[in-house]
Amino acid sequence: HHVLFGSEEDMVPLGYLLRRTVAPLLEPGPTTLPAVDWTAWLARRVLQVVKVADGDHVAGGAQPSDAHGPCRDTEPPLSAPLPACAVTTEVSGAPPLTVSPAMRWLIEPDEAHAGAGSVIIDGAFSEAMLSRLDRLFAQLPLAPRYKCTQGLSDRAYFCDAEGWVRHALAAAVAAGTPARGAPVQGVAMPHMRFLLYAEAGGGLPPHVDLSRTDGEGRTSSHTFILYLTGCQQGGSTVLLEHMRTPSSGTSDIRAAVTPVRGRLLLFPHMCPHLAQPVLAEGLPKLLLRGEMF
């Protein structure tokens, strides 16, 4: 058994992590526990263990693994990651979002298109829930930029072991799609990641997403994106007709989704899409992304 943390490829034995993270809590000493989200606290503690273990491994003469592909071994990180706590996503003086879900189909479910059933749901998350996600993100470490394809963005990985995020997502899907039914059951995979665009020009070229299979053999079918900030300019998620960069016209664009705080976007993994570059006026752009079925 392994625990997944730090990036989707880094694996550390569970027993080792428990001895270095949980066991110290059981030793005699002060009874005051950290006043933070326990999942995030454990994540930071595990990262310390991973760094120590990785440093010992390299010092022992072993060569870095090529499991991350050529980008990890031949190129340094694109830049030093920004501290997560330096980013504030809450807008001062903004009225709280009310929980009154509204759904809009982007691509009708019966269309002969890879993105059939793509939908956005607005107003399904309270400001208290969104603020809790803000605080969680501020407690998580940013992963190094190992992947060449991630562009000018940083990622923070999170496993929703307690289920509070997955519960909120399921409730949003159920409440936001009552008329014609949801395109998915609303079951999110526990492993999620925050994506932070803190530099102008950050975006992603046309691509499709991979699915994820959980321990029960269930495979995801849709990507979810929950926007935690809005973008005044740029930063839209664009669903495409074909797997190519749109020309000067708009015939290749099926839908352009503007980031709005609390907006939930669902689309099939195989729907071609891109992320438009974020302009300076739209920074920072922060979202929570994961897989769902």
Side-chain angles (χ1 to χ4, degrees), residues 112-192:
H113 187 274
S118 298
V119 65
I120 57 172
I121 301 173
D122 287 316
F125 299 92
S126 67
E127 182 59 32
M129 174 64 186
L130 298 174
S131 296
R132 186 177 180 186
L133 288 171
D134 291 339
R135 294 191 295 271
L136 170 62
F137 170 71
Q139 295 169 7
L140 294 174
L142 296 180
R145 293 183 181 179
Y146 284 135
K147 297 182 179 180
C148 301
T149 56
Q150 76 180 76
L152 298 177
S153 68
D154 292 289
R155 303 182 181 195
Y157 293 87
F158 167 64
C159 179
D160 184 28
E162 299 165 344
W164 60 277
V165 180
R166 286 176 289 161
H167 175 77
L169 288 167
V173 172
T177 56
R180 298 175 54 184
V184 291
Q185 298 179 39
V187 180
M189 298 293 185
H191 290 94
M192 309 173 187

Side-chain angles (χ1 to χ4, degrees), residues 71-72 74-81 143-147 150 154:
C71 195
R72 177 179 179 128
T74 60
E75 298 181 11
L78 299 180
S79 67
R145 293 183 181 179
Y146 284 135
K147 297 182 179 180
Q150 76 180 76
D154 292 289

Side-chain angles (χ1 to χ4, degrees), residues 37-69:
D37 185 293
W38 268 101
T39 304
W41 178 86
L42 182 60
R44 295 199 306 275
R45 186 74 178 93
V46 169
L47 181 61
Q48 296 172 357
V49 176
V50 170
K51 288 182 178 178
V52 171
D54 188 56
D56 293 343
H57 176 71
V58 175
Q63 296 300 316
S65 168
D66 62 354
H68 294 276

Side-chain angles (χ1 to χ4, degrees), residues 169-241:
L169 288 167
V173 172
T177 56
R180 298 175 54 184
V184 291
Q185 298 179 39
V187 180
M189 298 293 185
H191 290 94
M192 309 173 187
R193 52 269 196 207
F194 290 89
L195 270 66
L196 169 67
Y197 295 85
E199 303 173 50
L204 290 173
H207 64 285
V208 295
D209 294 334
L210 299 177
S211 61
R212 185 187 293 272
T213 301
D214 65 11
E216 300 179 25
R218 300 176 298 183
T219 300
S220 64
S221 59
H222 284 62
T223 296
F224 77 79
I225 294 177
L226 175 57
Y227 299 100
L228 296 175
T229 61
C231 287
Q232 298 178 10
Q233 297 185 39
S236 295
T237 303
V238 180
L239 306 186
L240 303 172
E241 186 70 45

Side-chain angles (χ1 to χ4, degrees), residues 14-33:
L14 176 59
Y16 178 70
L17 293 180
L18 292 178
R19 289 195 301 272
R20 297 295 299 272
T21 58
V22 178
L25 298 178
L26 304 180
E27 297 176 355
T31 57
T32 302
L33 300 178

